[in-house]
Amino acid sequence: MAFLEVKAVSKDYGGVRALSDVSFQVKQGEFHSVIGPNGAGKSTLINLLTGLARPTRGAIVFEGCDISSRKTHEIIGMGVGRIFQNGRLFERLTVVENVMMGHSARKPPSLLRLVYSPRNASVDQAESREAALQMLERFGLAQYAGRQIGSLSYGSRRLVEMAKVMVGRPKLLLLDEPAAGLNSGEVERLMSLLQALRKEHQLSVVLIEHNMNMVMRLAERITVLNFGKKLAEGTPAQVSVNETVLAAYLGEGYRSASL
């Protein structure tokens, strides 16, 4: 049984079909990338995987459970974490407070517990803070814990967002263009960090990314989308020489650069 299975998924928005009969599988512990030109349906796909949209047809199965109609907080609770392309941090909160929100998102405290057991709720908050501080230490960001998000560089903000997701201990990590806006040094640091986190936490990863150097170095399998349809799938070596993929997305210049 596949860890994650996308089964003949289609998504319509009015008269526009964003995805058409897309299928692929992700094995447990696999690093899987989804690539394709702008408008290929990648963002729609990741929204379906996280419950921000629902398939018009088809099914998404995670650990044997159909999550196609599940709400986002339910999917998070099952162990799916997502890094958004444009970030999802709160500017007026400190770094550690942002990361604490990721810890509580996996198992939000009930209103009854907050009202009738304030002491226990206080213990929960202390545990969240400690977990957040430990994760910031892991990401090399502990010195920024008390600073507001707005004071950080773009690269550091991206790492805080990843720390916020990882503190929730996801089993499946969905990355939506995490290298966008990063310089070459920051991309190298990000790749090293992803490799380490994957090993430490036995993560399965789905990466949506335009940085082909990053994709080819990290991914074990690649699914290629174009105009909402699956164009190809295979290992990086197979995809990099696929004539259809070269024509639709990578270009002949990519073949020359790879030789």
Side-chain angles (χ1 to χ4, degrees), residues 153-155 178-191 211:
S153 68
Y154 181 78
L182 302 184
N183 61 41
S184 58
E186 290 170 333
V187 171
E188 287 294 329
R189 181 185 177 193
L190 175 61
M191 287 194 289
N211 186 320

Side-chain angles (χ1 to χ4, degrees), residues 3 12 29 41 61 87-88 93 96 107 112 125 167 173 192 204 212 216 221 227 230 245 253:
F3 187 66
D12 298 338
V61 180
R88 289 294 189 276
L93 296 182
V96 70
K107 190 178 180 181
L112 288 176
Q125 186 176 34
V167 78
L173 182 61
S192 296
S204 301
M212 285 299 102
M216 295 299 175
R221 286 193 70 76
F227 294 112
K230 187 169 85 170
V245 177

Side-chain angles (χ1 to χ4, degrees), residues 133-150:
L133 288 171
Q134 289 179 3
M135 190 57 66
L136 286 171
E137 182 72 34
R138 175 63 187 85
F139 276 72
L141 298 168
Q143 68 271 31
Y144 302 131
R147 290 174 55 174
Q148 288 193 315
I149 286 295

Side-chain angles (χ1 to χ4, degrees), residues 50-247:
T50 50
L52 293 178
R54 295 183 179 181
T56 304
R57 286 175 301 281
I60 299 169
V61 180
F62 176 61
E63 289 195 307
C65 179
D66 190 335
I67 63 171
S68 307
S69 299
R70 295 290 185 103
K71 296 179 180 178
T72 298
H73 74 270
E74 294 176 321
I75 295 173
I76 293 172
M78 294 172 69
V80 178
R82 174 180 179 176
I83 306 295
F84 286 84
Q85 180 179 357
N86 297 317
R88 289 294 189 276
L89 297 173
F90 293 89
E91 297 284 339
R92 295 189 179 183
L93 296 182
T94 64
V95 169
V96 70
E97 288 169 342
N98 269 277
V99 178
M100 285 171 66
M101 294 185 68
H103 185 264
S104 60
R106 181 75 183 270
K107 190 178 180 181
S110 68
L111 180 59
L112 288 176
R113 184 174 177 84
L114 291 173
V115 173
Y116 294 106
S117 302
R119 180 175 297 179
N120 289 333
S122 179
V123 170
D124 291 343
Q125 186 176 34
E127 290 177 351
S128 290
R129 185 176 182 83
E130 180 60 27
L133 288 171
Q134 289 179 3
M135 190 57 66
L136 286 171
E137 182 72 34
R138 175 63 187 85
F139 276 72
L141 298 168
Q143 68 271 31
Y144 302 131
R147 290 174 55 174
Q148 288 193 315
I149 286 295
S151 68
L152 269 58
S153 68
Y154 181 78
S156 294
R157 289 163 64 103
R158 295 296 280 170
L159 290 177
V160 170
E161 186 180 3
M162 189 170 293
K164 177 183 173 184
V165 172
M166 287 304 303
V167 78
R169 303 296 181 184
K171 304 173 188 176
L172 173 65
L173 182 61
L174 308 175
L175 301 168
D176 191 358
E177 298 195 30
L182 302 184
N183 61 41
S184 58
E186 290 170 333
V187 171
E188 287 294 329
R189 181 185 177 193
L190 175 61
M191 287 194 289
S192 296
L193 185 58
L194 285 173
Q195 290 171 323
L197 291 172
R198 180 190 174 198
K199 183 177 180 180
E200 291 170 14
H201 301 279
Q202 290 80 54
L203 277 174
S204 301
V205 181
V206 175
L207 169 69
I208 292 177
E209 184 55 66
H210 284 293
N211 186 320
M212 285 299 102
N213 176 54
M214 183 177 183
V215 169
M216 295 299 175
R217 287 171 58 183
L218 293 181
E220 293 163 312
R221 286 193 70 76
I222 299 173
T223 296
V224 187
L225 299 181
N226 193 34
F227 294 112
K229 298 180 179 180
K230 187 169 85 170
L231 187 65
E233 185 176 324
T235 65
Q238 292 168 336
V239 167
S240 65
V241 295
N242 184 296
E243 297 294 339
T244 306
V245 177
L246 288 168

